[in-house]
């Protein structure tokens, strides 16, 4: 390997001590302007790049942020089948990069392995997507590092939070369909977990029905997992077990795509026979024919705010836990119609 | 933060020297079995986790692999709009993780910034996706670290390569359509760059036409970029500028989705009026209605092999550059028909 230029080379080049060069490079106060200029000149001339591994040990800063992301199955690959995660990750990576941080994404085998990663890599902070066990959060607290949770209502340790108004999202979607004459609205979702986002969307669904005096029919509710295949299966199941369905509210666009595929494959039309409503406003909800009416959330902003908060804590600009709830709105497309 | 357990604590607990503990932890030879057992017992009892930052400095190994991935625009976000990249990345992350490595993904502002990342983070190796400038590769060579290139025919420095047989992919796709009676086959693609994969797929397209004695029509070829929106635009353009088109070969599924959206929105039917052929076999090519006939490549295997090769070099199991070319095959779905 070509010889790496070190801080020692910069010191030799300038005739200054290593400590003096280090002062300049770490933006310490009390350095004379001409000294600073001399060092920065030498840095440029020699092509010196600070080594974060060495710097991390000295400053206790690694400039690395970890992202903990759910997996399809334990010990398996990252959940990138749902483009929601790739969009969120892409936003986090970008916001970190422009602030001089890098990102390590890792699937978590068990709750423990991510904490191990945090220690091994001396992460400056962690962004945790989704809901985990209570023990996971208390272990996280013990690690005593900046943490931002995205999309969970499970926060016993009062970490920072960024989420959307999921109950309102579920309410708006259902109300939109009711306002267009639908009464028999299937609810197709991921797992209904206490303090998960799906439960809240379900609460919104029930609230909208109740407000409009529409009786809740249990056989219209089919929870599965958040995937295309589950959308296919749940749509088939609900059409088999319940009669009179004119609309389906799917709690994720990827589920809505599966439901639509199933409905079309049965020779039914969307939206003429069945209206389909998604959630997330992924790019792919525009790509299908018909395109999918959905509950829009700003996934990029979610990632951006999570990074802002975590860097604010790392760089000591905030002390108190912050909780940001982003608004949602209906994005009207082609998969729904007025009855 | 809870006090971190260090190698010093393990030494104190066992009554051994730090050097002796380090010998055991680094799997050095000549350690007595009872010493090894004593150390490993203490490690487990105390919950000691090695710090890669500190170890990296001592061993010159960071156990970090960098992925260099193209972006939509310079200085912009990662190109995750195309699920090809998330699938590939997910596979690389998984294969690294089970081997005890972690992955840093970073967009590259300019050619230079990724090399800077490699130095800053003391990366053990880099996996480079796509084609870059000649200078980029020669700079990479100077960095003298294990490198695997994915999907490029530009390899002046003889790095390891993993790719597919792109020319054959283009040939098979076109031949498949010709065998079903199509003669006026539009070619819609990303940028036709010398030594990029698209150029090879184009060569395969021309070869299949030539073999079948079908005259090449320049107005049927519309290169754009690899995106849904470009698929929409290029399909519109080719239908406007050329007559008699019965099929479109799109060099990426994401482009095929755009082309299909455009064709359907014009009131034409797929495949009754226009057959559409994609490339990549992304999950989403199954999600649309009709689902998309495509050239299948094993994206997960591509990632897995790239990781295998880079770890083989890092861990000194290979010396010579390896070049792996994976096979492709037609995946028949609903978007194509016999004329």
């Amino acid at each position: 390997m070509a010889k790496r230029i070190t801080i020692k080379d910069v010191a030799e080049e300038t005739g200054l001590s290593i400590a003096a060069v280090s002062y300049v490079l770490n933006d310490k106060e009390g350095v004379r302007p001409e000294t600073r200029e001399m060092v920065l000149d030498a840095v440029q001339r020699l092509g010196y790049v600070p080594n974060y591994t060495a710097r991390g040990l000295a400053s206790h800063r690694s400039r690395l942020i970890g992202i903990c992301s759910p997996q399809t199955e334990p010990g398996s690959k990252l959940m990138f089948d749902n483009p929601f995660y790739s969009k969120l990750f892409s936003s986090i990576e970008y916001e970190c990069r422009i602030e001089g941080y890098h990102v390590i994404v890792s699937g978590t085998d068990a709750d423990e392995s991510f904490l191990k990663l945090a220690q091994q890599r001396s992460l400056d902070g962690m962004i945790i997507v989704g809901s985990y066990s209570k023990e996971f959060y208390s272990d996280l607290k013990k690690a005593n590092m900046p943490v931002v949770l995205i999309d969970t209502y499970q926060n016993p340790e009062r970490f920072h939070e960024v989420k959307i108004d999921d109950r309102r999202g579920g309410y708006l979607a259902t109300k939109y369909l009711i306002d267009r004459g639908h009464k028999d609205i299937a609810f197709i979702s991921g797992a209904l977990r206490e303090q998960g986002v799906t439960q809240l969307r379900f609460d919104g669904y029930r609230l909208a029905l109740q407000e409009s005096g529409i009786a809740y029919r249990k056989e219209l509710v089919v929870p599965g997992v958040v995937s295309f295949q589950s959308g296919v299966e749940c749509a088939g199941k609900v059409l088999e077990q319940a009669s009179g369905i004119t609309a389906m509210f799917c709690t994720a666009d990827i589920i809505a795509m599966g439901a639509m595929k199933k409905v079309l494959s049965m020779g039914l039309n969307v939206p003429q026979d069945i209206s389909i409503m998604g959630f997330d406003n992924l790019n792919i909800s525009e790509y299908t024919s018909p395109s999918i009416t959905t509950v829009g959330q700003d996934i990029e902003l979610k990632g951006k705010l999570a990074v802002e908060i975590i860097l604010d804590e790392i760089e000591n600009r905030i002390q108190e836990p912050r909780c940001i709830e982003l608004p949602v709105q209906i994005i009207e497309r082609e998969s729904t119609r007025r009855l």
Side-chain angles (χ1 to χ4, degrees), chain A:
Chain A
M1 192 181 297
K3 183 179 171 292
R4 170 190 272 284
I5 303 296
T6 67
I7 194 166
K8 216 170 135 190
D9 298 309
V10 179
E12 274 172 21
E13 176 84 7
T14 53
L16 294 166
S17 68
I18 289 177
V21 173
S22 167
Y23 258 58
V24 173
L25 296 178
N26 287 296
D27 271 335
K28 292 270 165 75
E29 282 171 26
V31 178
R32 289 193 306 180
E34 55 272 35
T35 307
R36 176 180 308 275
E37 203 175 314
M38 193 161 72
V39 169
L40 298 180
D41 272 0
V43 160
Q44 193 152 32
R45 205 162 48 240
L46 298 172
Y48 169 67
V49 180
N51 181 325
Y52 284 173
T53 308
R55 286 184 83 174
L57 277 183
S59 69
H60 305 291
R61 282 273 191 81
S62 61
R63 299 187 83 85
L64 276 177
I65 305 293
I67 305 181
C68 180
S69 170
Q71 295 166 285
T72 33
E73 308 157 26
S76 177
K77 299 193 172 120
L78 292 168
M79 212 164 146
F80 274 144
D81 179 35
N82 185 351
F84 173 85
Y85 292 100
S86 34
K87 197 162 188 181
L88 182 62
F89 166 68
S90 172
S91 167
I92 292 173
E93 190 278 331
Y94 177 72
E95 299 297 334
C96 282
R97 173 161 35 106
I98 59 177
E99 296 292 338
Y101 285 74
H102 293 121
V103 160
I104 290 194
V105 189
S106 186
T108 51
D109 288 355
D111 285 354
E112 190 211 349
S113 74
F114 195 71
L115 285 165
K116 205 165 145 186
L117 170 71
Q119 285 189 299
Q120 284 173 337
R121 297 291 178 193
S122 309
L123 300 182
D124 284 346
M126 290 196 277
I127 295 174
I128 314 283
V129 187
S131 292
Y132 300 83
S133 71
K134 270 184 192 156
E135 291 68 37
F136 178 71
Y137 295 105
S138 65
D139 286 349
L140 209 51
K141 189 69 184 182
K142 282 181 209 139
N144 197 27
M145 60 167 57
V147 168
V148 175
L149 308 180
I150 294 183
D151 287 346
T152 182
Y153 290 84
Q154 172 117 359
N155 187 6
E157 307 291 345
R158 296 191 71 224
F159 294 119
H160 306 294
E161 292 177 14
V162 180
K163 57 191 178 196
I164 56 166
D165 191 342
D166 287 283
R167 189 194 312 263
R168 184 160 172 79
Y171 173 84
L172 286 178
T174 313
K175 185 80 167 45
Y176 176 92
L177 293 166
I178 293 171
D179 286 349
R180 277 150 192 80
H182 297 276
K183 287 194 173 69
D184 300 287
I185 304 167
F187 179 88
I188 299 178
S189 70
L192 281 166
R193 233 186 311 240
E194 210 191 335
Q195 299 181 299
V197 299
T198 305
Q199 180 63 46
L200 273 282
R201 293 175 194 177
F202 179 62
D203 293 348
Y205 165 79
R206 294 204 59 171
L207 180 64
L209 292 179
Q210 200 186 347
E211 263 191 22
S212 305
I214 299 171
Y216 169 65
R217 292 171 61 193
K218 196 162 178 274
E219 71 273 21
L220 290 177
V221 177
V222 186
V225 299
V226 181
S227 76
F228 173 81
Q229 199 49 46
S230 181
V232 171
E233 288 157 17
C234 293
K237 197 172 156 200
V238 79
L239 288 171
E240 205 170 278
Q241 76 188 24
S243 60
I245 294 169
T246 61
M248 293 179 175
F249 168 34
C250 304
T251 60
D253 285 344
I254 193 89
I255 298 175
M257 291 189 83
M260 188 157 82
K261 183 86 185 175
K262 179 67 185 179
V263 168
L264 295 173
S265 77
M266 293 170 74
L268 296 167
N269 263 311
V270 177
Q272 288 74 15
D273 300 310
I274 308 265
S275 286
I276 290 182
M277 165 75 73
F279 201 114
D280 286 338
N281 192 25
L282 300 180
N283 294 345
I284 52 165
S285 62
E286 274 188 85
Y287 296 173
T288 52
S289 301
S291 57
I292 298 173
T293 300
T294 189
V295 179
Q297 61 161 313
D298 193 335
I299 300 170
E300 295 203 352
L301 184 59
K302 234 178 196 175
K304 186 181 160 75
L305 290 171
V307 172
E308 264 182 37
I309 294 173
I310 210 157
L311 296 191
D312 274 352
E313 186 178 334
I314 291 169
E315 295 170 1
N316 297 314
R317 287 186 294 263
I318 51 168
Q319 307 290 337
E320 285 304 297
R322 274 201 223 156
C323 176
I324 295 181
E325 195 175 71
L326 295 171
V328 291
Q329 69 189 103
I330 296 291
I331 312 288
E332 205 160 8
R333 296 212 178 88
E334 303 161 352
S335 65
T336 49
R337 73 162 183 118
R338 189 172 291 277
L339 265 198

